[in-house]
Amino acid sequence: MEAMTATVEESRSGFRVPLIDITPYITGGTAAERAAVAAQIDDAASSVGFMQIVGHEIPSAVIDEFTEVLDDFFALSLDEKKAYRTPPEINRGYAPPKSESLSLSLGVESANRMNDFFEAYNVGVEAKEYPELDLPDDQYADNTWPQVDHFQAAVSTYFAEARRVAHTLTRIFADALDLPPDFFDGYTDHSLDVLRMNNYALPPGEVEIDGELTGMGEHTDYGIVTVLWADQVRGLQVLDSAGQWHDVAPEQGALLINLGDLMARWTNERWMSTLHRVKPPIVDGTIERRRSAAYFHDGNIDATISTLPSCVGAGSRYSPITVGEHIGAKLAGSRAGQANPYAKREAARVQRAMQRGLGQQ
């Protein structure tokens, strides 16, 4: 029912997240079929920055097992979960409620710093996966696996499937941007990828609700593309080009896809890194449960991102930056409370929405 409600609201406002079937890229469709998919991706990336995909071929059994162990972990007591915390500079392990502020990843000072009301667990690509490369141990850190039955196996299986989907998407991106089919391969062959599992409903008494309730503050994603599995529960909101927030929930069996800052930089904002946030709904005074899992496909840490020649036009809006510099500044904001100095264009969009009085529920 939640997905149907979100669909009605989207149709009334005229805002919609396109539904795209990527089957031709999974099962070997014809050139014409693939071109049609690439055109749909280009249109969605240019107009919304969000899309939802079906035909991704992640087995439902994999998703079911993954969400079961996710539930088992978040059902642990807060003290048990806190045993899996890591330092802010290590993007792994458990993040408790009100320990982050995603708006600071944009350089935006919020009224209540570190007030995002969600908990999360992160795993990612490890340096030992690429023994021939000298990768930094902090960015490609070893994963911390909780003592929950089947957690490591189920999460690792889903991670591999989401990774496959992300690489399929960059192959579609290359076609949509008239680039060589393998263009993104050299930027992603040791990609700094992270899977973040989020939970927005907490047992009563574990954390005090104060100030404005923020599930996850307004932010843009950091890297190339995000593959998001989410409940069909409202909470995710996307900011349109007119400064209005819209509820978004996936169709049955669909994955939500959005572009990150690095893709916006590459394309000189031909493609959009769209601002979004989470406002968990309150039902009878408690937060209705919402879960999500975001696979962030961020690119090689040593790759330099410069505007594509075909997208420069009258001039580039961005200076070249390495993936490591960009991601590091973003994480210093969200996890360590340091405002990001490299996100002036993104921060300006948030500030304009606030000034217009549109950054409300």
Side-chain angles (χ1 to χ4, degrees):
M1 290 300 294
E2 291 292 346
M4 291 178 63
T5 301
T7 301
V8 169
E9 290 181 359
E10 288 168 14
S11 64
R12 285 175 180 166
S13 66
F15 178 87
R16 59 181 294 272
V17 175
L19 181 67
I20 302 171
D21 187 347
I22 65 169
T23 298
Y25 277 90
I26 300 291
T27 60
T30 66
E33 290 170 336
R34 292 195 300 273
V37 172
Q40 292 177 68
I41 293 285
D42 183 31
D43 181 66
S46 301
S47 61
V48 184
F50 267 74
M51 60 201 79
Q52 48 184 330
I53 61 168
V54 292
H56 48 73
E57 295 292 313
I58 299 181
S60 57
V62 169
I63 295 176
D64 290 344
E65 291 171 7
F66 169 63
T67 55
E68 284 176 12
V69 298
L70 184 154
D71 290 345
D72 290 343
F73 173 76
F74 286 124
L76 298 176
S77 71
L78 188 58
D79 285 342
E80 289 177 291
K81 289 179 286 193
K82 282 183 175 180
Y84 300 104
R85 292 195 71 177
T86 58
E89 65 273 13
I90 305 298
N91 198 19
R92 298 289 186 272
Y94 180 63
K98 298 173 67 173
S99 65
E100 299 194 18
S101 180
L102 270 292
S103 64
L104 285 171
S105 70
L106 292 173
V108 176
E109 296 283 348
S110 58
N112 296 302
R113 292 169 65 93
M114 314 310 279
N115 198 43
D116 285 2
F117 195 79
F118 72 99
E119 58 179 347
Y121 202 92
N122 289 4
V123 299
V125 173
E126 300 173 321
K128 60 189 175 187
E129 187 173 336
Y130 303 99
E132 72 282 6
L133 300 177
D134 185 21
L135 298 175
D137 290 335
D138 56 346
Q139 303 255 21
Y140 291 82
D142 288 347
N143 287 311
T144 300
W145 296 105
Q147 298 300 307
V148 172
D149 288 346
H150 309 300
F151 187 93
Q152 182 173 354
V155 170
S156 297
T157 299
Y158 179 80
F159 189 101
E161 291 285 349
R163 190 183 212 176
R164 172 185 59 78
V165 171
H167 281 282
T168 299
L169 288 167
T170 57
R171 172 66 179 82
I172 303 173
F173 293 170
D175 283 352
L177 293 167
D178 295 319
L179 297 169
D182 61 351
F183 175 83
F184 291 104
D185 293 356
Y187 294 90
T188 60
D189 55 9
H190 50 278
S191 187
L192 185 67
D193 292 1
V194 169
L195 174 65
R196 161 156 278 206
M197 296 156 271
N198 304 302
N199 184 49
Y200 293 92
L202 306 172
E206 283 201 345
V207 65
E208 181 182 353
I209 299 176
D210 57 0
E212 182 185 0
L213 183 61
T214 301
M216 187 177 286
E218 54 276 318
H219 65 285
T220 54
D221 285 353
Y222 307 165
I224 298 171
V225 64
T226 301
V227 177
L228 179 72
W229 172 87
D231 281 328
Q232 291 178 308
V233 174
R234 285 188 299 169
L236 175 63
Q237 296 183 332
V238 173
L239 190 71
D240 69 14
S241 58
Q244 296 279 1
W245 291 101
H246 301 272
D247 290 306
V248 172
E251 299 287 346
Q252 182 67 38
L255 297 171
L256 287 168
I257 307 297
N258 64 285
L259 307 179
D261 298 334
L262 292 179
M263 186 57 71
R265 283 176 172 269
W266 246 326
T267 63
N268 210 19
E269 297 183 9
R270 167 182 165 180
W271 286 6
M272 302 169 62
S273 178
T274 303
L275 283 162
H276 53 286
R277 66 185 184 184
V278 176
K279 291 285 187 181
I282 307 295
V283 178
D284 296 329
T286 61
I287 305 171
E288 184 177 2
R289 188 174 191 210
R290 181 179 184 273
R291 304 165 300 165
S292 67
Y295 184 91
F296 300 112
H297 188 46
D298 290 345
N300 300 342
I301 191 172
D302 50 353
T304 298
I305 306 302
S306 302
T307 303
L308 295 169
S310 61
C311 296
V312 170
S316 177
R317 296 174 172 89
Y318 298 97
S319 300
I321 194 170
T322 68
V323 171
E325 290 169 336
H326 173 75
I327 299 296
K330 286 282 191 173
L331 290 174
S334 64
R335 291 175 66 90
Q338 302 171 17
N340 181 0
Y342 301 122
K344 291 182 174 59
R345 290 188 64 84
E346 297 94 336
R349 281 186 280 159
V350 179
Q351 298 289 7
R352 283 196 298 270
M354 290 176 175
Q355 290 165 6
R356 293 170 184 165
L358 298 174
Q360 301 176 359
Q361 292 188 34

